[in-house]
């Protein structure tokens, strides 16, 4: 019986690692998918900032061209003002000059706002470009690390599965069924060590009579609290496991 218990303890150790590796394997695709999210968010922000920058630059160029036209008209009006022969010509030229100056002033106010915005956006796009590059670089390193880890996990799962099969062949059929039954209902842990009379998984103190029986190592017993198979872990027989 002691040999069967030792087998179960070894099987449990393998199954515990297998359980963790399988959890890790399940989590990897989601972690990989998450990796691109930040870079994608930065890319969207960057596209938006670039589009606005383009629009602001275009409006600025338009206004500058409009101002050129106004200045040409102003120069002509000033010439007409100088060479005006009649009051009417003089007033007309004067009015056109006033109008042109007002338009220039209003355009210049808008131009100033556009230039400030353009400067802001240029700063923003270069910051976003830097961030995007850094985040993409990080993500690609992390992707490589995770992909390698996935291969490692897969290999380790295969190795431990073979080891598990070898151990299972040696365990008594009914005991193995019992073990698997409990394991599936108890978060992967079916075997619990007892130290100082206490179940190390559920932390319940065994009744003294049961602990005495357990120390005889002549049968497989269960924890009356968590239902797991228990063994006296302080016994010499388990010291090398
Ligand atoms: Zn227990």
């Amino acid at each position: 019986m002691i040999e069967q218990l030792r087998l179960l303890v070894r099987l449990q150790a393998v199954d515990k690692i297998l359980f963790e590796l399988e959890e890790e394997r399940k989590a990897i695709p989601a972690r990989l998918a998450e990796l691109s999210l930040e870079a994608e968010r930065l890319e969207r922000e960057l596209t938006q900032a670039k589009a606005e920058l383009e629009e602001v630059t275009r409006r600025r160029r338009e206004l500058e061209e409009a101002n050129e036209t106004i200045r040409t008209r102003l120069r002509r009006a000033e010439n007409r003002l100088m060479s005006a022969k009649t009051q009417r010509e003089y007033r007309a030229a004067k009015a056109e000059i006033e109008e042109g100056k007002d338009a220039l002033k209003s355009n210049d106010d808008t131009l100033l706002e556009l230039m400030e915005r353009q400067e802001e956006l240029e700063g923003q796009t270069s910051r976003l470009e830097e961030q995007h590059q850094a985040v993409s670089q990080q993500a690609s390193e992390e992707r490589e690390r995770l992909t390698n880890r996935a291969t490692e996990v897969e290999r380790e799962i295969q190795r431990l599965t073979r080891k598990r099969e070898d151990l299972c062949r040696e365990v008594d059929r009914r005991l193995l069924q019992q073990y698997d039954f409990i394991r599936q209902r108890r978060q992967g842990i079916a075997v619990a060590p007892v130290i100082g009379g206490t179940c190390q998984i559920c932390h319940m103190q065994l009744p003294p009579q049961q602990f005495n029986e357990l120390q005889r190592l002549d049968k497989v017993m269960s924890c009356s609290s968590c239902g797991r198979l228990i063994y006296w872990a302080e016994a010499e027989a388990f010291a090398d496991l």
Side-chain angles (χ1 to χ4, degrees):
M1 194 40 74
I2 187 76
E3 203 35 56
Q4 286 293 304
L5 263 172
R6 279 171 54 88
L7 281 168
L8 280 188
V9 172
R10 288 169 64 199
L11 183 58
Q12 178 65 81
V14 169
D15 277 341
K16 185 169 183 291
I17 302 170
L18 262 178
F19 184 83
E20 285 160 2
L21 288 172
E22 272 156 11
E23 290 294 297
E24 190 179 348
R25 175 168 68 179
K26 266 187 268 172
I28 285 177
R31 286 174 66 195
L32 278 171
E34 237 169 63
L35 276 180
S36 347
L37 290 183
E38 178 68 358
E40 280 165 13
R41 187 187 66 77
L42 286 168
E43 207 172 332
R44 278 195 301 276
E45 258 183 65
L46 185 60
T47 309
Q48 219 174 352
K50 275 182 172 170
E52 194 186 344
L53 179 60
E54 211 173 287
E55 172 65 11
V56 165
T57 310
R58 187 187 62 75
R59 283 180 61 203
R60 184 185 165 181
R61 205 167 42 233
E62 267 175 18
L63 271 183
E64 279 167 348
E65 280 166 16
N67 275 357
E68 268 317 300
T69 313
I70 293 169
R71 280 194 202 95
T72 310
R73 283 212 323 261
L74 267 178
R75 276 195 298 277
R76 280 191 205 131
E78 272 157 6
N79 285 340
R80 280 204 305 280
L81 187 73
M82 308 270 265
S83 57
K85 304 268 188 319
T86 65
Q87 278 292 323
R88 216 180 126 223
E89 276 174 15
Y90 182 86
R91 274 197 304 272
K94 186 94 178 157
E96 197 177 341
I97 289 168
E98 289 307 317
E99 201 185 311
K101 280 182 174 167
D102 283 350
L104 266 185
K105 175 150 187 348
S106 150
N107 281 356
D108 281 344
D109 289 346
T110 312
L111 263 177
L112 200 66
E113 281 167 25
L114 287 175
M115 278 157 75
E116 276 169 12
R117 186 66 189 138
Q118 190 179 6
E119 212 170 297
E120 266 172 30
L121 286 165
E122 276 163 0
Q124 200 184 338
T125 47
S126 72
R127 270 195 310 278
L128 283 170
E129 261 159 8
E130 269 173 41
Q131 277 177 17
H132 181 258
Q133 206 192 348
V135 165
S136 303
Q137 170 78 17
Q138 234 177 4
S140 103
E141 280 165 18
E142 185 62 10
R143 189 170 299 114
E144 196 187 332
R145 202 190 62 75
L146 271 179
T147 311
N148 289 342
R149 180 64 190 151
T151 314
E152 232 173 72
V153 165
E154 196 55 50
R155 205 179 298 137
E156 194 59 6
I157 285 177
Q158 281 173 20
R159 188 183 71 82
L160 288 173
T161 303
R162 282 193 299 273
K163 189 169 175 187
R164 174 177 215 278
E165 285 161 3
D166 290 344
L167 286 169
C168 284
R169 265 193 289 277
E170 296 179 60
V171 180
D172 172 78
R173 238 177 86 87
R174 277 194 50 203
L175 190 57
L176 186 61
Q177 277 172 358
Q178 201 183 351
Y179 168 85
D180 280 332
F181 184 85
I182 301 169
R183 194 167 60 91
Q184 277 152 25
R185 281 157 188 78
R186 289 281 181 270
Q187 293 86 43
I189 307 291
V191 177
V194 169
I195 296 173
T198 303
C199 168
Q200 295 300 298
I201 304 292
C202 75
H203 306 293
M204 276 296 289
Q205 183 83 36
L206 265 64
Q209 177 58 34
Q210 197 189 7
F211 187 38
N212 283 340
E213 266 180 70
L214 186 72
Q215 286 172 309
R216 288 203 290 268
L217 307 172
D218 57 2
K219 61 181 166 193
V220 178
M221 295 171 73
S222 308
C223 171
S224 53
S225 169
C226 68
R228 292 186 174 91
L229 304 171
I230 47 179
Y231 67 100
W232 182 37
E234 291 150 311
E236 191 71 25
F238 300 108
D240 62 328
L241 295 182

